[in-house]
Amino acid sequence: MTPELLEDVAARFKVLAEPARLQVLDALADGPRHVSALMEATGLNQANLSKHLQMLHAHGFVSRRREGLFVYYELADDSVFTLCDLACGAVEARAQRAAERHARPRR
Amino acid sequence: MTPELLEDVAARFKVLAEPARLQVLDALADGPRHVSALMEATGLNQANLSKHLQMLHAHGFVSRRREGLFVYYELADDSVFTLCDLACGAVEARAQRAAERHARPRR
DNA sequence: GCTGTATATTGCTGAATAGTCATATAGCGA
DNA sequence: TCGCTATATGACTATTCAGCAATATACAGC
């Protein structure tokens, strides 16, 4: 593990370490959307959403395509959902264990 | 995707969004290590490393076990390396594409 | 050209946090 | 008990960044 690779991987995780961006990715799961549609889907305001989209694009998570006045964003990296599923799975497993400890606290 | 799940998943990614913590996890890949050994392996100072370990532990990435004066940390979640491999793969794929664009710039 | 709409960018502020130093706690042996 | 070592925690600083408001840019129609 070279220091640069650590940096790059950490940077990639950092992009995903933000609920708003996960929400955007989730909104893109069904297909391309333009910015206004994403604003509505996520509730983010225009400037904020635009910045998140810039970051997602800069890191290769989404691609963009202009059509007239609209800019369509689309998922560019299928591995995102694998990552999220793994993270979700771990989160849920922890919640489950916590619930079980609460149900029958053996300590 | 409920807001809380988004928060939880983002929080989990945030733990991994730090080169120092990835380095710690990497150092634990071969088996349990106590704090002093991790200091040497990572070059982090004691206070800083201890904080990173607290965070890794709080999020369930590692488990801890006391043996006399020493505290041994151990990986508690195998999915970490799957996550990292995916992220590494994406990073490398991007580097590869960038290199190819540089080698034969068709624009 | 001008006007309106969609998106991007800039500047700012508040909140979170990595790193460091100093200090505190935990466990061992004498 | 005391002294020593290993680890944890508190206080502080500097940096990063999400969110917001205002402004700028890109494009279409006239």
Side-chain angles (χ1 to χ4, degrees):
Chain A
M1 285 293 257
T2 78
E4 307 128 30
L5 185 55
L6 285 173
E7 289 278 353
D8 289 348
V9 172
R12 199 164 174 81
F13 281 131
K14 189 168 291 181
V15 177
L16 300 178
E18 179 60 41
R21 283 191 288 269
L22 294 178
Q23 205 182 351
V24 171
L25 292 173
D26 188 48
L28 290 174
D30 299 331
R33 294 272 189 285
H34 60 254
V35 179
S36 300
L38 289 172
M39 281 177 60
E40 191 167 0
T42 62
L44 299 171
N45 78 24
Q46 189 266 319
N48 195 13
L49 173 59
S50 185
K51 279 203 213 169
H52 287 308
L53 287 169
Q54 301 314 304
M55 179 171 289
L56 289 168
H57 183 252
H59 284 81
F61 288 98
V62 301
S63 61
R64 55 151 54 102
R65 152 176 52 98
R66 181 136 215 159
E67 284 191 17
L69 281 180
F70 297 85
V71 176
Y72 284 82
Y73 284 86
E74 184 170 6
L75 286 177
D77 185 340
D78 295 340
S79 71
V80 173
F81 290 112
T82 314
L83 283 171
C84 287
D85 286 346
L86 277 169
C88 283
V91 166
E92 283 159 3
R94 272 171 65 71
Q96 178 100 14
R97 282 196 297 275
E100 279 169 9
R101 269 197 304 280
H102 186 259
R104 42 172 178 74
R106 288 189 176 156
R107 333 161 233 170
Chain B
M1 286 293 256
T2 79
E4 307 127 31
L5 184 56
L6 285 173
E7 288 280 353
D8 289 349
V9 172
R12 199 163 175 83
F13 280 130
K14 189 167 292 183
V15 177
L16 299 178
E18 179 62 40
R21 283 190 288 269
L22 294 178
Q23 204 183 351
V24 171
L25 292 173
D26 188 48
L28 290 174
D30 299 332
R33 294 271 187 286
H34 61 254
V35 179
S36 300
L38 288 173
M39 282 177 60
E40 191 167 0
T42 61
L44 298 171
N45 78 23
Q46 189 266 320
N48 196 13
L49 173 59
S50 185
K51 283 199 205 171
H52 286 308
L53 287 170
Q54 301 315 304
M55 179 171 289
L56 288 168
H57 183 251
H59 283 81
F61 289 98
V62 300
S63 61
R64 55 152 51 106
R65 152 177 51 99
R66 182 138 216 155
E67 282 190 18
L69 281 181
F70 296 85
V71 176
Y72 283 82
Y73 283 87
E74 183 171 5
L75 286 177
D77 185 340
D78 295 339
S79 72
V80 173
F81 289 112
T82 314
L83 283 171
C84 288
D85 286 347
L86 277 169
C88 282
V91 166
E92 282 158 3
R94 271 170 67 71
Q96 178 101 12
R97 282 195 297 274
E100 281 170 10
R101 268 197 304 279
H102 187 260
R104 42 171 177 75
R106 288 190 177 157
R107 334 161 230 170

